[in-house]
Amino acid sequence: MGGDKRNRVFALTALLILGLSVTFPCCFSAANQPQTKKKSAQANKFGSSAVFPLHGNVYPLGYYSVSINIGYPAKRFDLDIDTGSDLTWVQCDAPCTGCTKPREYLYKPKNNHLQCGDPLCVAFHSPASDPCKTPDDQCDYEVEYADQGSSLGVMVNDYFPLKFTNGSQLGPRLAFGCGYDQKYPGPNTPPTTGVIGLGKGKASIVSQLSRMGLTRNVVGHCLSGQGGGFLFLGDDLVSFSRVMWTPMSRNSMENHYSSGPAELVFNGKSTGVKGLSLVFDSGSSYTYFNSQAYKAVVNLVRNDLDGKPIKETNEDKSLPICWKGRKPFKSVGDAKNFFKPLALSFINAKNVQLQLSPEDYLIVSKHGNVCFGILNGSEVGLENLNIIGDIMLLDKMLIYDNENQRIGWAPANCNRLPNVDREYSEGNSQPIVANLGILEQRCPAYALYDQ
């Protein structure tokens, strides 16, 4: 969920993930009528990517969001990006309980709900939890997040006007949740209108686009430590030669981007903490380690700080552990020399480590103290799970390659959006020109697609 995400982790506790539209992608005519034009499947199959600018930061906002246009005429919605869940949903004027936006900013359904008889709605209901009585009933959903936030509503489908990097402009009809009953944890309500689910499941946006043949089943993001960044669907912009890869885990968390086992390294030396299973989750601002790993790294950091001119303080409640310097810190750069680097070394990939500088696990609070951005997952019900949150993903291009079942990362300038023509020089994959993945209300009639 949005807002202050100190206690927001990820959506492993989602109750139901429902529905996937089987309608064809299309564009719109000026007369408000969808028009389709058949093209060669070979010409369109996996031909491009869509790129979107991001807004937000780890601190103080605690979220990264993307603006997405939905419907025709199109209405723009600001959505939390969440690789820890599959379902995309928006606040819905149906009417709505727990909506945080005025009615004019909510999604208005137009008799476009999915029915229980839809094969994919049936597939997403487990037999024990299937709420459907007849195939003609509407396809309801309910998701609960680990921070106790939730959304209840009905699955619908509508147009998502998109501009792809190969120049095509399409309006695929995608399935998502129309949430008419939301609950948010804590005192602060999120500034966003919903969540874009980017997980591995069939209901995620990237899975739907891939099944339609519009992009490969690859999603990635580049979160800037200065705020903002970009999100991409498809692999058109990935310079694979520069990326470090680790295989995705094949376990019960099938819809989540998990990897491991990994070993925790402190200042180049083993901590003795091994066998960590990790979930990469852009929906979590901070990183959560299990109790053993958390206590180990906290003790190492505290012992290493002993005798240095920086003292732990209980006055700052920004995060559970904060330190105060002789004078207020203005940035993590002012404090990083007091701290040692960390790393996660992946056992199933040769010589692959996720290197973590102090900037990857520290923030500077509004009080000028430096605070520890790794939290104890056992205290929020995660038990033995370990969540790699946004703080450890900054200034890196993260790629979730569902085609090849692997997760990759590479250093990147996340302040600049990728170039649609992929004008990369030899050995340099830094983005050089800004582009958007969203269209406004008009969608050219010539850019049509049918399966």
Side-chain angles (χ1 to χ4, degrees):
M1 311 293 285
D4 181 1
K5 294 195 293 185
R6 253 188 70 180
N7 297 318
R8 176 185 169 198
V9 278
F10 70 129
L12 281 179
T13 56
L15 294 180
L16 300 173
I17 300 294
L18 310 178
L20 174 64
S21 170
V22 197
T23 53
F24 297 146
C26 62
C27 224
F28 321 107
S29 71
N32 196 22
Q33 294 296 321
Q35 302 293 321
T36 60
K37 176 182 177 181
K38 292 186 177 181
K39 289 186 178 182
S40 165
Q42 186 67 31
N44 287 285
K45 189 82 170 171
F46 305 140
S48 199
S49 301
V51 186
F52 310 84
L54 296 177
H55 308 279
N57 54 48
V58 170
Y59 182 87
L61 293 179
Y63 66 89
Y64 283 86
S65 67
V66 62
S67 294
I68 298 289
N69 284 337
I70 302 176
Y72 184 78
K75 182 180 287 189
R76 184 167 295 189
F77 298 90
D78 294 328
L79 306 177
D80 268 316
I81 65 166
D82 189 8
T83 58
S85 64
D86 298 327
L87 182 67
T88 294
W89 61 267
V90 298
Q91 296 180 18
C92 186
D93 184 13
C96 187
T97 300
C99 282
T100 60
K101 299 291 184 180
R103 289 187 65 182
E104 60 267 26
Y105 293 100
L106 304 181
Y107 177 79
K108 184 70 174 178
K110 302 174 182 177
N111 195 31
N112 55 336
H113 64 271
L114 297 184
Q115 293 183 322
C116 287
D118 186 303
L120 289 163
C121 181
V122 174
F124 284 109
H125 280 101
S126 66
S129 62
D130 189 351
C132 295
K133 296 181 179 179
T134 73
D136 295 330
D137 288 346
Q138 69 181 21
C139 183
D140 294 324
Y141 78 87
E142 182 176 5
V143 291
E144 288 187 355
Y145 298 89
D147 64 357
Q148 307 306 311
S150 64
S151 176
L152 174 69
V154 59
M155 292 298 299
V156 298
N157 55 37
D158 209 337
Y159 303 110
F160 280 62
L162 299 172
K163 180 178 180 180
F164 292 89
T165 53
N166 64 3
S168 62
Q169 300 179 5
L170 302 173
R173 194 169 182 117
L174 305 176
F176 60 101
C178 181
Y180 52 73
D181 189 355
Q182 275 68 242
K183 292 182 174 62
Y184 302 99
N188 300 320
T189 57
T192 51
T193 320
V195 170
I196 180 169
L198 301 169
K200 294 170 60 179
K202 293 182 179 180
S204 74
I205 294 297
V206 66
S207 294
Q208 294 186 57
L209 290 173
S210 175
R211 288 166 66 90
M212 291 175 174
L214 298 180
T215 67
R216 288 192 179 274
N217 197 348
V218 176
V219 61
H221 54 70
C222 201
L223 309 178
S224 172
Q226 300 176 30
F230 58 88
L231 167 74
F232 58 93
L233 309 177
D235 68 347
D236 200 41
L237 305 170
V238 178
S239 178
F240 287 94
S241 62
R242 302 180 63 248
V243 178
M244 300 194 75
W245 296 100
T246 182
M248 291 183 187
S249 298
R250 300 181 184 275
N251 55 27
S252 58
M253 295 185 294
E254 59 182 17
N255 289 346
H256 304 281
Y257 297 116
S258 59
S259 187
E263 178 182 3
L264 180 62
V265 178
F266 179 80
N267 196 28
K269 299 178 181 179
S270 174
T271 62
V273 177
K274 302 179 180 181
L276 296 176
S277 180
L278 307 171
V279 173
F280 290 75
D281 178 23
S282 67
S284 176
S285 301
Y286 300 109
T287 288
Y288 291 79
F289 281 167
N290 66 34
S291 183
Q292 178 197 13
Y294 176 77
K295 290 176 181 178
V297 72
V298 167
N299 288 337
L300 287 166
V301 170
R302 282 173 169 164
N303 291 339
D304 188 68
L305 291 175
D306 189 36
K308 296 181 180 179
I310 180 172
K311 302 299 179 184
E312 199 164 324
T313 175
N314 295 323
E315 299 174 0
D316 195 334
K317 304 302 181 182
S318 301
L319 286 172
I321 299 177
C322 295
W323 294 271
K324 187 174 185 178
R326 289 175 175 172
K327 60 181 181 179
F329 297 109
K330 294 182 180 179
S331 69
V332 175
D334 295 339
K336 68 178 183 180
N337 290 336
F338 296 121
F339 295 86
K340 296 294 193 297
L342 302 175
L344 291 165
S345 181
F346 291 86
I347 308 301
N348 292 337
K350 187 177 180 180
N351 299 323
V352 172
Q353 288 190 341
L354 178 60
Q355 300 286 345
L356 303 167
S357 68
E359 290 94 334
D360 294 322
Y361 64 87
L362 299 172
I363 66 161
V364 168
S365 74
K366 62 182 179 181
H367 305 291
N369 300 316
V370 62
C371 298
F372 196 51
I374 302 175
L375 308 182
N376 190 343
S378 301
E379 295 181 353
V380 294
L382 290 177
E383 299 180 354
N384 201 42
L385 295 175
N386 304 279
I387 310 305
I388 305 302
D390 293 342
I391 193 169
M392 287 187 174
L393 306 178
L394 299 178
D395 299 313
K396 305 174 185 70
M397 181 179 284
L398 263 291
I399 305 116
Y400 308 95
D401 182 0
N402 294 305
E403 298 278 340
N404 297 294
Q405 291 295 293
R406 58 185 182 171
I407 300 169
W409 57 88
N413 177 4
C414 299
N415 297 313
R416 305 168 71 187
L417 291 173
N419 178 276
V420 296
D421 296 322
R422 302 180 66 189
E423 295 176 356
Y424 299 118
S425 60
E426 184 69 28
N428 177 25
S429 66
Q430 297 300 315
I432 56 177
V433 179
N435 270 283
L436 306 182
I438 55 176
L439 299 180
E440 298 301 331
Q441 293 186 7
R442 293 184 299 170
C443 190
Y446 61 83
L448 307 177
Y449 177 84
D450 201 348
Q451 289 183 324

